[in-house]
Amino acid sequence: MMRRPALFRFLAIPLVTLGLLGGTGHAENGGRAIAVVVAAGDSWNGIRGGMSKRLLAQIYRKQVVLDDKGIRLHPVNLPASHPLRAIFSQAVFRRSPLDMAGYWNEQYFQGISPPHVVASQEAVMRFVADTPGAIGYVAACRVDKRVRVIYRLEVKKKLADSLCR
Amino acid sequence: MHDCDSNTGCGNRWRRGGAAIGYSLFLALLAQIAPAGEEDSSSGSYQLGRGYPIPSLGLSLGGYASVKRVDLETRQPFAEISDLSLFLGWDNGARWRAFSELEIGEALVYRGGELTSDESEFEVERAYVDYLHADWLTLRLGKALAPIGHWNSIHADPLIWTVSRPLTTDAGFSHYISGLSLLGSIPGERGVWEYQAYVDNSTRLDPRPDNRSPAGEVVPGLEIGPFDHAVGARLVYRPDSESWQFGLSLARFGIERIAGIKHLLGLDFQWRLAGVSLSGEALYRSDSNEDAGEVGGVFLQAVAPISFAPRWYFVSRAERFRDETVSARADTLSLGLAWRPLPPVVFKLETRQGRGNETLAPDGVFSSLAILF
């Protein structure tokens, strides 16, 4: 059971280091990052000229809902039980998904639903590639040509290694 | 301590036992149907506390319900299904969205040995359409909650920590507006400013205005009716850390069938650290009608998790409120426990004691079970 992930890591880390995994831009950090992704091509209009952890938090809290050209943003999440979701939540909100429940209870009462949830990183890639305005996150080692990386969240190496298993 | 007699029904232990059994059965049922209620939603299946989305139509269904028991010193105790609310939302995935909340209030009331539905009322609590022009500007047309203070905007039982509602958030203004609002968020250096400005004309736009007020039930003179007309705004600042927020509310309004123009100033704050939260609101209202008096109130509420009992919270609130129009005031202290077995579910037990509070907010014991569904 343990052989495959170990072998994958053994191959993936040098490949990312060499920048051979799908246009990541900052390939030297590719194996240690969560990649924030949008659809490949030029459909992404940008938000306030760039991306930041702060802006990402506002998008995932649905405080920012439109891009610079007025296209609706569709943030997509992994399930609350997914390890990458927990890491993303801590990195962006400094809270666990469960700690965000109170916030979403209040938003639900206001008619605002939390971000769409899909089951896996592959599902995130498909959703982002197929949905105008979609924005998601995957382990950098999962990035391929279907998506474009617009921001990286650096995480500790131990965590990063676990993301690519 | 209050006097009990056969009329008030105090001491009818079987009723309390019945309520306890009812609560227990309800919780047992929940335990069967409820997955952990975190923030997940919109994956096309029902989730407790997040409703039922129908992505293909852009629709979402949900709501909340609560049952409560109220035992006030000056009134006959009663138990009721106090709220049964249905949310219906629509979002076209671009710039338009709509939301409505339909409610049956007091659907069933058990008082003095009788179960009745005579007090039930159907209400359109909210019904509005939003046009998202930009993050800094959304146009909202319809009936919505009056953006005065934080409590009124989240007043649903599953979201608040006590069964009773502070007078400061209840007795000085209409809970609803009907008209046009402009709202949005504007990023600042280290946080976000959120605003909502509105023009109300409930008299013309809301055919069935409703403004039930717990305080008004006790003191008819205190019942504040729906806005006749109103203009106002609320401004909130939230830092990026979300560890605190501060709000300012301003309003100028008239009340149906009551002479005079009222001016209102409200302040509110929330502060959170390591699971402990401190919140408060203050309100001051003056009146152009010389026969009417000023209204003022302030409360401070603390909620802290109980370290040895996971998902249990200790709640305390102190409030001072006065209404010169009815020459009434209340200084109260509420102490309570809240248990959240799941984020969308809360059981609350509360006792309220006070000084000079017999008229507005009598001493009492409250309990409730509320659920977002």
Side-chain angles (χ1 to χ4, degrees):
Chain A
M1 291 291 287
M2 295 300 292
R3 272 191 167 179
R4 218 157 144 195
L7 179 63
F8 181 79
R9 280 205 314 277
F10 177 74
L11 294 172
I13 291 173
L15 284 174
V16 170
T17 305
L18 290 171
L20 296 178
L21 276 184
T24 53
H26 299 282
E28 66 279 13
N29 293 322
R32 291 202 286 147
I34 298 173
V36 177
V37 295
V38 298
D42 55 3
S43 61
W44 180 250
N45 299 310
I47 307 167
R48 298 175 200 158
M51 182 54 67
S52 65
K53 192 186 287 189
R54 180 186 181 207
L55 187 53
L56 202 54
Q58 291 169 348
I59 292 169
Y60 271 83
R61 284 194 197 106
K62 292 203 169 176
Q63 293 167 333
V64 170
V65 296
L66 297 170
D67 71 14
D68 284 348
K69 290 192 175 173
I71 302 297
R72 188 76 165 271
L73 298 170
H74 297 287
V76 59
N77 244 336
L78 289 163
S81 57
H82 196 288
L84 182 54
R85 165 76 173 277
I87 295 167
F88 178 82
S89 186
Q90 283 295 344
V92 174
F93 305 114
R94 296 184 182 179
R95 295 185 195 179
S96 70
L98 187 61
D99 291 337
M100 299 292 288
Y103 173 82
W104 286 112
N105 279 349
E106 290 190 7
Q107 295 303 306
Y108 175 65
F109 182 64
Q110 306 294 345
I112 309 293
S113 297
H116 189 80
V117 173
V118 297
S120 66
Q121 295 188 72
E122 173 55 26
V124 170
M125 298 281 284
R126 285 201 300 266
F127 182 87
V128 167
D130 296 342
T131 312
I135 179 170
Y137 58 88
V138 293
C141 56
R142 304 279 177 147
V143 169
D144 64 28
K145 63 184 180 185
R146 289 175 292 175
V147 298
R148 180 156 63 96
V149 178
I150 58 167
Y151 190 69
R152 289 180 184 284
L153 286 163
E154 298 302 319
V155 295
K156 291 179 180 172
K157 188 173 184 315
K158 263 189 182 178
L159 288 175
D161 288 349
S162 69
L163 300 179
C164 296
R165 284 175 195 155
Chain B
M1 298 296 289
H2 60 271
D3 297 324
C4 294
D5 57 39
S6 58
N7 292 328
T8 64
C10 295
N12 284 342
R13 288 181 188 169
W14 68 270
R15 284 186 205 162
R16 291 174 187 169
I21 291 169
Y23 285 160
S24 304
L25 286 173
F26 191 55
L27 288 173
L29 182 63
L30 279 181
Q32 298 303 310
I33 64 170
E38 295 174 348
E39 66 168 283
D40 287 355
S41 167
S42 65
S43 44
S45 59
Y46 175 76
Q47 187 182 6
L48 186 68
R50 297 291 175 261
Y52 181 72
I54 310 173
S56 58
L57 298 175
L59 294 174
S60 58
L61 294 169
Y64 73 96
S66 67
V67 293
K68 67 173 68 163
R69 186 178 191 283
V70 178
D71 187 354
L72 294 177
E73 186 178 62
T74 54
R75 300 179 70 193
Q76 192 175 36
F78 63 94
E80 63 180 9
I81 298 176
S82 53
D83 295 303
L84 194 54
S85 279
L86 177 68
F87 303 158
L88 175 60
W90 171 78
D91 191 328
N92 76 343
R95 290 180 182 268
W96 292 94
R97 64 188 178 199
F99 182 75
S100 67
E101 179 189 357
L102 309 176
E103 179 176 294
I104 299 174
E106 285 79 45
L108 281 175
V109 179
Y110 184 81
R111 180 188 284 119
E114 288 187 10
L115 189 65
T116 175
S117 61
D118 292 348
E119 298 173 35
S120 66
E121 289 179 303
F122 173 77
E123 293 147 19
V124 179
E125 293 256 319
R126 292 179 282 174
Y128 56 78
V129 177
D130 282 349
Y131 175 75
L132 311 176
H133 176 72
D135 287 321
W136 60 271
L137 181 61
T138 291
L139 274 67
R140 173 169 296 173
L141 185 65
K143 183 176 182 180
L145 294 169
I148 297 177
H150 182 65
W151 192 293
N152 194 52
S153 66
I154 57 136
H155 68 259
D157 255 354
L159 303 181
I160 56 179
W161 290 99
T162 56
V163 184
S164 70
R165 179 170 177 162
L167 290 162
T168 304
T169 71
D170 180 37
F173 54 90
S174 171
H175 300 175
Y176 305 99
I177 55 170
S178 292
L180 177 68
S181 292
L182 308 179
L183 56 151
S185 61
I186 300 167
E189 281 257 324
R190 294 180 180 177
V192 176
W193 293 93
E194 294 175 353
Y195 75 92
Q196 181 172 356
Y198 57 91
V199 180
D200 164 277
N201 193 340
S202 290
T203 304
R204 290 192 177 184
L205 298 174
D206 188 358
R208 291 192 56 191
D210 174 76
N211 197 56
R212 287 176 302 117
S213 157
E217 288 174 13
V218 181
V219 190
L222 192 70
E223 176 77 67
I224 187 165
F227 286 145
D228 175 58
H229 62 273
V231 293
R234 174 167 159 76
L235 185 65
V236 178
Y237 179 74
R238 299 176 205 273
D240 291 336
S241 66
E242 297 250 326
S243 57
W244 59 272
Q245 69 175 57
F246 177 79
L248 167 70
S249 305
L250 297 168
R252 179 185 186 278
F253 57 87
I255 297 292
E256 277 192 4
R257 295 182 296 277
I258 298 177
I261 298 296
K262 301 169 196 315
H263 293 87
L264 179 146
L265 167 67
L267 300 171
D268 60 272
F269 83 98
Q270 291 195 338
W271 177 80
R272 291 174 286 270
L273 183 67
V276 177
S277 73
L278 196 63
S279 61
E281 296 192 21
L283 172 139
Y284 171 75
R285 196 189 82 190
S286 62
D287 206 308
S288 66
N289 179 4
E290 289 180 0
D291 294 333
E294 296 174 343
V295 174
V298 59
F299 79 85
L300 193 62
Q301 176 176 284
V303 179
I306 299 173
S307 58
F308 56 85
R311 300 176 189 271
W312 282 85
Y313 299 84
F314 176 72
V315 185
S316 64
R317 183 175 66 233
E319 182 179 27
R320 167 163 286 190
F321 183 85
R322 66 188 166 85
D323 185 332
E324 290 180 355
T325 306
V326 291
S327 301
R329 61 183 298 157
D331 295 328
T332 57
L333 177 65
S334 299
L335 299 173
L337 293 171
W339 177 47
R340 284 193 182 272
L342 301 165
V345 180
V346 60
F347 169 78
K348 293 177 268 190
L349 183 64
E350 173 193 348
T351 176
R352 181 173 69 195
Q353 302 286 318
R355 198 174 51 207
N357 59 323
E358 297 81 3
T359 309
L360 291 179
D363 291 354
V365 178
F366 310 81
S367 57
S368 75
L369 179 64
I371 179 172
L372 282 170
F373 59 81

PDB file of all heavy atoms in Angstrom, chain B residues 86 105 201 203 215 218 233 265 291 310 314 339:
ATOM      1  N   LEU B  86     -39.495  28.689   5.892  1.00  0.00           N
ATOM      2  CA  LEU B  86     -39.008  28.056   4.667  1.00  0.00           C
ATOM      3  C   LEU B  86     -38.243  29.086   3.845  1.00  0.00           C
ATOM      4  O   LEU B  86     -38.765  30.180   3.576  1.00  0.00           O
ATOM      5  CB  LEU B  86     -40.196  27.523   3.856  1.00  0.00           C
ATOM      6  CG  LEU B  86     -39.830  26.891   2.518  1.00  0.00           C
ATOM      7  CD1 LEU B  86     -39.056  25.595   2.717  1.00  0.00           C
ATOM      8  CD2 LEU B  86     -41.092  26.630   1.683  1.00  0.00           C
ATOM      9  N   GLY B 105     -45.688  31.382  12.127  1.00  0.00           N
ATOM     10  CA  GLY B 105     -45.332  31.661  13.506  1.00  0.00           C
ATOM     11  C   GLY B 105     -46.375  31.093  14.442  1.00  0.00           C
ATOM     12  O   GLY B 105     -47.558  31.034  14.116  1.00  0.00           O
ATOM     13  N   ASN B 201     -40.745  52.113   2.158  1.00  0.00           N
ATOM     14  CA  ASN B 201     -42.117  52.604   2.102  1.00  0.00           C
ATOM     15  C   ASN B 201     -43.035  51.414   2.354  1.00  0.00           C
ATOM     16  O   ASN B 201     -43.768  50.961   1.474  1.00  0.00           O
ATOM     17  CB  ASN B 201     -42.411  53.259   0.754  1.00  0.00           C
ATOM     18  CG  ASN B 201     -43.706  54.050   0.789  1.00  0.00           C
ATOM     19  OD1 ASN B 201     -44.549  53.830   1.652  1.00  0.00           O
ATOM     20  ND2 ASN B 201     -43.856  54.968  -0.135  1.00  0.00           N
ATOM     21  N   THR B 203     -45.687  51.077   3.982  1.00  0.00           N
ATOM     22  CA  THR B 203     -47.121  51.318   3.889  1.00  0.00           C
ATOM     23  C   THR B 203     -47.651  50.944   2.508  1.00  0.00           C
ATOM     24  O   THR B 203     -48.710  50.346   2.378  1.00  0.00           O
ATOM     25  CB  THR B 203     -47.419  52.802   4.166  1.00  0.00           C
ATOM     26  OG1 THR B 203     -46.869  53.121   5.437  1.00  0.00           O
ATOM     27  CG2 THR B 203     -48.906  53.065   4.179  1.00  0.00           C
ATOM     28  N   ALA B 215     -41.693  42.085  23.456  1.00  0.00           N
ATOM     29  CA  ALA B 215     -41.942  43.118  24.455  1.00  0.00           C
ATOM     30  C   ALA B 215     -43.333  43.713  24.249  1.00  0.00           C
ATOM     31  O   ALA B 215     -44.044  44.007  25.205  1.00  0.00           O
ATOM     32  CB  ALA B 215     -40.889  44.204  24.335  1.00  0.00           C
ATOM     33  N   VAL B 218     -46.199  42.026  25.882  1.00  0.00           N
ATOM     34  CA  VAL B 218     -46.319  42.272  27.315  1.00  0.00           C
ATOM     35  C   VAL B 218     -46.885  43.670  27.558  1.00  0.00           C
ATOM     36  O   VAL B 218     -47.722  43.872  28.430  1.00  0.00           O
ATOM     37  CB  VAL B 218     -44.944  42.126  28.003  1.00  0.00           C
ATOM     38  CG1 VAL B 218     -45.080  42.348  29.495  1.00  0.00           C
ATOM     39  CG2 VAL B 218     -44.363  40.759  27.715  1.00  0.00           C
ATOM     40  N   ALA B 233     -29.136  53.694   7.131  1.00  0.00           N
ATOM     41  CA  ALA B 233     -27.936  53.026   6.632  1.00  0.00           C
ATOM     42  C   ALA B 233     -27.253  52.290   7.773  1.00  0.00           C
ATOM     43  O   ALA B 233     -27.413  52.652   8.947  1.00  0.00           O
ATOM     44  CB  ALA B 233     -26.980  54.056   6.026  1.00  0.00           C
ATOM     45  N   LEU B 265     -29.967  55.951  16.479  1.00  0.00           N
ATOM     46  CA  LEU B 265     -28.527  55.697  16.370  1.00  0.00           C
ATOM     47  C   LEU B 265     -28.239  54.369  17.057  1.00  0.00           C
ATOM     48  O   LEU B 265     -28.641  54.161  18.211  1.00  0.00           O
ATOM     49  CB  LEU B 265     -27.733  56.819  17.057  1.00  0.00           C
ATOM     50  CG  LEU B 265     -26.250  56.548  17.304  1.00  0.00           C
ATOM     51  CD1 LEU B 265     -25.491  56.455  15.979  1.00  0.00           C
ATOM     52  CD2 LEU B 265     -25.626  57.625  18.194  1.00  0.00           C
ATOM     53  N   ASP B 291     -44.874  64.422  22.824  1.00  0.00           N
ATOM     54  CA  ASP B 291     -45.570  63.520  23.748  1.00  0.00           C
ATOM     55  C   ASP B 291     -44.860  62.166  23.862  1.00  0.00           C
ATOM     56  O   ASP B 291     -45.143  61.388  24.777  1.00  0.00           O
ATOM     57  CB  ASP B 291     -47.006  63.279  23.275  1.00  0.00           C
ATOM     58  CG  ASP B 291     -47.820  64.555  23.339  1.00  0.00           C
ATOM     59  OD1 ASP B 291     -47.472  65.418  24.174  1.00  0.00           O
ATOM     60  OD2 ASP B 291     -48.771  64.694  22.546  1.00  0.00           O
ATOM     61  N   PRO B 310     -17.674  19.202  25.891  1.00  0.00           N
ATOM     62  CA  PRO B 310     -17.595  19.619  24.489  1.00  0.00           C
ATOM     63  C   PRO B 310     -18.950  20.002  23.911  1.00  0.00           C
ATOM     64  O   PRO B 310     -19.951  19.347  24.176  1.00  0.00           O
ATOM     65  CB  PRO B 310     -17.045  18.374  23.778  1.00  0.00           C
ATOM     66  CG  PRO B 310     -16.385  17.582  24.848  1.00  0.00           C
ATOM     67  CD  PRO B 310     -17.121  17.865  26.113  1.00  0.00           C
ATOM     68  N   PHE B 314     -21.465  28.367  27.939  1.00  0.00           N
ATOM     69  CA  PHE B 314     -22.072  29.185  28.985  1.00  0.00           C
ATOM     70  C   PHE B 314     -22.349  30.563  28.392  1.00  0.00           C
ATOM     71  O   PHE B 314     -21.493  31.149  27.731  1.00  0.00           O
ATOM     72  CB  PHE B 314     -21.131  29.290  30.191  1.00  0.00           C
ATOM     73  CG  PHE B 314     -21.663  30.192  31.262  1.00  0.00           C
ATOM     74  CD1 PHE B 314     -22.741  29.803  32.040  1.00  0.00           C
ATOM     75  CD2 PHE B 314     -21.095  31.433  31.484  1.00  0.00           C
ATOM     76  CE1 PHE B 314     -23.247  30.639  33.021  1.00  0.00           C
ATOM     77  CE2 PHE B 314     -21.593  32.272  32.468  1.00  0.00           C
ATOM     78  CZ  PHE B 314     -22.678  31.875  33.227  1.00  0.00           C
ATOM     79  N   TRP B 339     -26.256  24.112  24.031  1.00  0.00           N
ATOM     80  CA  TRP B 339     -25.606  22.878  23.579  1.00  0.00           C
ATOM     81  C   TRP B 339     -25.795  22.791  22.070  1.00  0.00           C
ATOM     82  O   TRP B 339     -26.935  22.832  21.588  1.00  0.00           O
ATOM     83  CB  TRP B 339     -26.259  21.672  24.266  1.00  0.00           C
ATOM     84  CG  TRP B 339     -25.701  20.349  23.822  1.00  0.00           C
ATOM     85  CD1 TRP B 339     -24.387  20.013  23.697  1.00  0.00           C
ATOM     86  CD2 TRP B 339     -26.449  19.186  23.453  1.00  0.00           C
ATOM     87  NE1 TRP B 339     -24.261  18.713  23.271  1.00  0.00           N
ATOM     88  CE2 TRP B 339     -25.510  18.171  23.110  1.00  0.00           C
ATOM     89  CE3 TRP B 339     -27.807  18.898  23.380  1.00  0.00           C
ATOM     90  CZ2 TRP B 339     -25.907  16.909  22.705  1.00  0.00           C
ATOM     91  CZ3 TRP B 339     -28.201  17.630  22.975  1.00  0.00           C
ATOM     92  CH2 TRP B 339     -27.249  16.645  22.642  1.00  0.00           C
TER      93      TRP B 339
END
